[in-house]
Each structure stands twice: as C-alpha cells, then as structure tokens.
Amino acid sequence: MQFLGQPDPDIGVCECAFRKRIPMCQNANQFPGLVLGTATFGVAPRSDDVPALVRGALERGITSFDTANSYGNQPEYDQPSVPSHRIRPSSEELLGRALRGIRDEVHLASKVGEPLGRSRVDGPFVGLLTRDHIVEQLDLSLRRLGTDRLDLYYAHLPDLHTPLDETVATFNDLITQGKIRAWGISNYSSAQTEQLMHVVSESGARPPATHQVRYSLAERDVEDSGVTAAAQKFDIPMLAYSPLAGGLLAGRGAIERAYVGHRRWGGGGFSDDQIGRARRFASLADDWGVTPSSLALAWLFRRPGVAGVVVGTSALSNLDDARRATAIDLDDEQLALLDALRFAEDRPGRSDAVDRQLSQR
C-alpha cells in the first residue's frame, strides 16, 4: 500500500494528487470528490451539533453538501433518544441555517422524487417526477435552504408513471430559469439510464451531470446489473452514497451499534455472514495500517467512473478518515484480497419498505 504524492503533515493527504486522480463532475460549478451527506441531520448529528460539523467540513476543504426534500424529519428516522419527526427540523432546514452567510462558498445539491411523510411507507410511488411536483418541491427546498438556486438537483428515484420527456424538460427549464445549475439522477437502473439518455439525445436537452448510486465494497449490485457500465457509456460521472454500507465497513465497533444499516430508518440490521466478512475486512485494514472506513473509501475512489463519495457522519474524525482515504493507493494483490470478500448480494439491512419501492419501479 502506498500513499500518493507528498502527504499533508497533519492528516497524510495530498490534495493535489487526489484531484489529478479523481475526475470532477462536468458542470459549471465542479465539486470535489468528497461530499458531506446530510440524510440523518437532526438525528446524528443532533440539530444543535450540525453547525459545528458543517464548519469542520469546510475547514477540511469539504465544500460540497448533499441533501434532499425527504431527509431528516421523516417518521422512520425516529429513535427513542431523539426528538420526534413531528418537531424535528428537516435536513434542508438545518443545512440552510448552518450555511447562512456562506452560501456562495459551497456546492449545494438537493433531490426530489422520493415519497414524503407516511407515504414513504403506505403510499403509492406515483407522480413524484411530474413538472408540477418538481417545481413545487424545488421552491420548498430553496426556502428551507435559504437560497435562490441549487448547484445540482437530482431526480432521487425513477418514476415510471411520469413520461421521461416531461421530467427531462422540467429539469432543463429550471436550468434556463437559473434556479438550478445542473441536474442529476439517482438510483436509476441501466435500462432506465439508457431510456433517459435516449430522450436527452432526441430532445437536445442537457444531460444529467452525475448519477448518484448506492455503491460500496459490500454492495456491488451496480456493477453486476450494468449501472456502472451505462454511466461510463454515456460519460456520466458517478457519486457513491452509503460507501460504508450503513456502518458495515466502518470497523468492529460500528457493526455492534444499536442503529446500523437500515435500522436507522426502520429496517433490519446485518446478517451473521455480513458481520463475519466485515470482521475479515477490518482485519485486512489492521494488517495494512489503515482504518476500515479509510480502506473502504480508498477502494471506491479507485473504481472506474466514480467521481466522488458522499460521506454521512456526525463525527469530525470520520471526515479526517475520509480525507486520508484519498491518498491510499491499493496494489493489485490488495485489490484481489478485497474482491475475494464478496459480501452477500442483498443490501445490508435493507428494509421491507425499500423492497416495496423497488418493486414498484
């Protein structure tokens, strides 16, 4: 295992080498390869701790922030030790407050298209990428974030009930209006990406600037299902979210926490087989002198087509780990050992609600 370039004396990271190695998103306001995810803002970190985490990210050179209209104050995020979703501010509200006065210094992304409130569990997945819904939700997101535009706006999940040309045209119109600078997709299958890019080509619309996908060493279905191949075919940079598979790759202590995997939003935990493989993964990290989370991120940074990683955390030390990962270079033997772990194909701790949503697409 080698480190790229001359490391920073404080954290062992060479930002210059990182930027040369990791491609940037192809839009006017390019973002670096580390993005702070905010899905659990208000839960972990608690509302009062969000400003310090955001400041700490900025101090570490992490200037990209990822949120959504469905993050933070949804009922399945509730835990016994945190305020109820009924009184908890949304992720967008908390992030907007933390960025007050420094909005122009950051890259800000949000999403639309995921069910909200009780409909996330009980309602049909219908009409969430119509023109009316996208425009309505963007205005609400801008208000919560305290800004007049987004740098990137995602179609959070595909909506099979809305014509693709309507969705594509709406995002493009919002760019023309100056309300967003670029648009992206998230959680699209290879076939759905092909269909969307056909509409983009036929209409002459601006293509999506990025595809945000669930991707980690423990969750590689995007490779097996052709999603990564489709992204590369159409030259769409990928952003990987859940890079530690809900804590499965974060080390032995993280695996044993009460809220890991999809337990954070009402789902299940990890299987015995997944935990066993995660422990073997942690042993490799120990042998190589790095933390498990750094190793998991380093593996992702080296995957073809991956332009960046969305890291969600409540601890600044985890952001330092993420920066260290950008300087780790894995050799062929190490990559082979990691590939040999091959976790179970099922997503770790995936909830019944997520399965139901997938079946509707």
Side-chain angles (χ1 to χ4, degrees):
M1 180 177 294
Q2 299 177 340
F3 286 87
L4 304 177
Q6 183 63 39
D8 181 285
D10 294 326
I11 60 169
V13 174
C14 177
E15 289 291 334
C16 179
F18 166 54
R19 289 175 180 168
K20 289 179 180 178
R21 189 177 181 96
I22 306 297
M24 299 300 181
C25 185
Q26 300 172 352
N27 68 322
N29 194 6
Q30 294 181 340
F31 51 83
L34 285 174
V35 180
L36 182 63
T38 68
T40 58
F41 270 21
V43 177
R46 300 288 186 88
S47 297
D48 291 343
D49 297 327
V50 167
L53 180 66
V54 170
R55 285 195 305 272
L58 293 170
E59 290 166 359
R60 288 158 174 77
I62 300 171
T63 58
S64 292
F65 298 87
D66 179 88
T67 188
N69 66 336
S70 57
Y71 285 167
N73 61 346
Q74 302 299 317
E76 69 267 38
Y77 286 63
D78 284 355
Q79 298 175 11
S81 59
V82 300
S84 165
H85 67 278
R86 295 181 179 86
I87 61 173
R88 198 167 60 236
S90 69
S91 167
E92 288 181 326
E93 290 173 284
L94 292 170
L95 181 59
R97 294 172 192 172
L99 294 177
R100 193 169 295 155
I102 55 172
R103 164 66 183 92
D104 293 341
E105 301 174 24
V106 304
H107 182 281
L108 186 56
S110 193
K111 310 182 190 73
V112 61
E114 191 171 51
L116 302 170
R118 292 308 309 172
S119 65
R120 288 166 65 86
V121 178
D122 303 324
F125 187 78
V126 175
L128 298 178
L129 290 179
T130 62
R131 176 177 292 273
D132 287 348
H133 188 75
I134 293 171
V135 171
E136 173 196 69
Q137 290 300 309
L138 174 60
D139 286 342
L140 292 172
S141 289
L142 292 177
R143 191 180 310 162
R144 288 189 288 261
L145 287 162
T147 185
D148 60 355
R149 85 280 181 198
L150 291 176
D151 298 300
L152 181 61
Y153 197 33
Y154 285 97
H156 202 162
L157 295 167
D159 178 3
L160 300 186
H161 303 274
T162 299
L164 275 173
D165 55 356
E166 177 180 347
T167 298
V168 171
T170 302
F171 280 108
N172 273 256
D173 289 346
L174 292 172
I175 293 174
T176 301
Q177 295 166 20
K179 287 190 170 184
I180 66 174
R181 299 190 66 178
W183 72 288
I185 57 175
S186 182
N187 301 301
Y188 277 57
S189 70
S190 58
Q192 289 162 345
T193 303
E194 291 265 2
Q195 293 162 0
L196 180 137
M197 292 305 295
H198 175 75
V199 170
V200 166
S201 177
E202 289 293 306
S203 64
R206 297 174 181 85
T210 188
H211 188 181
Q212 192 172 137
V213 296
R214 179 184 292 272
Y215 195 6
S216 70
L217 179 66
E219 300 176 289
R220 299 177 63 174
D221 13 344
V222 291
E223 295 177 354
D224 301 332
S225 64
V227 170
T228 55
Q232 291 178 71
K233 174 182 176 180
F234 295 107
D235 197 25
I236 307 173
M238 290 182 296
L239 274 183
Y241 74 87
S242 195
L244 303 182
L248 187 62
L249 303 176
R252 296 176 183 86
I255 298 170
E256 297 167 359
R257 292 174 189 154
Y259 289 97
V260 291
H262 281 271
R263 283 181 183 157
R264 293 172 295 173
W265 31 77
F270 303 130
S271 70
D272 290 341
D273 179 72
Q274 289 164 343
I275 291 173
R277 292 175 189 272
R279 286 173 175 157
R280 289 197 288 276
F281 170 76
S283 294
L284 287 175
D286 290 343
D287 291 344
W288 298 341
V290 296
T291 64
S293 56
S294 290
L295 181 58
L297 295 176
W299 179 88
L300 263 176
F301 286 137
R302 272 65 193 172
R303 303 310 293 172
V306 173
V309 174
V310 181
V311 178
T313 183
S314 59
L316 290 173
S317 59
N318 292 336
L319 297 183
D320 291 333
D321 252 6
R323 289 190 60 187
R324 290 187 185 97
T326 65
I328 297 173
D329 195 18
L330 301 169
D331 61 34
D332 290 343
E333 181 180 355
Q334 290 168 323
L335 289 170
L337 287 170
L338 293 174
D339 281 341
L341 287 173
R342 289 309 287 201
F343 288 71
E345 291 302 314
D346 285 342
R347 291 180 180 176
R350 190 166 69 188
S351 67
D352 292 340
V354 172
D355 279 327
R356 190 184 62 79
Q357 284 186 24
L358 288 171
S359 70
Q360 292 180 13
R361 288 187 238 160

